[in-house]
């Protein structure tokens, strides 16, 4: 490791060195993980596999948003797909005597 004469450095050089050291410390673990991952991927590739095949992790497929089934009678920008928790406007409309068919989009 290099020996630095800190007394000979200017204030701006010391501050730059401080920033560089802080950055190196904060990214050290990430660099180590990336290096380990690269080694494991290379070994798996040498054996004819991908890392995902060996580890068994599959990427999740993103589900497309559901089409709206219900629309607010007064504000057409408010919609609900019929999935998940009922929005308050839907509950209020049902309580006011409307049916699900009345709110269908």
């Amino acid at each position: 490791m290099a020996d630095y004469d800190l007394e000979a450095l200017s204030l701006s050089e010391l501050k730059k060195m401080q920033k560089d050291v802080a950055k190196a410390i904060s990214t050290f673990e990430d660099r180590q993980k990336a290096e380990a991952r690269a080694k494991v991927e290379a070994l798996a590739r040498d054996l004819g596999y991908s890392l995902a095949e060996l580890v068994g992790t599959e990427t999740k497929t993103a589900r497309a948003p559901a089409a709206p089934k219900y629309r607010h009678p007064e504000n057409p920008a408010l919609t609900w797909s019929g999935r998940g928790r009922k929005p308050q406007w839907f509950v209020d409309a049902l309580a006011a005597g409307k049916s699900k068919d009345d709110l269908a989009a």
Side-chain angles (χ1 to χ4, degrees), residues 28-43:
F28 179 80
E29 188 173 281
D30 293 335
R31 288 182 283 137
Q32 293 294 319
K33 285 181 184 178
E35 187 178 315
R37 182 177 186 89
K39 287 180 182 178
V40 171
E41 285 175 344
L43 180 61

Side-chain angles (χ1 to χ4, degrees), residues 20-23 26 33 37 40 46 48 57 75 89 93 96 100:
D20 292 344
V21 168
K23 183 178 179 181
S26 67
K33 285 181 184 178
R37 182 177 186 89
V40 171
D46 290 344
T57 57
N75 184 355
W89 64 262
K100 286 184 176 183

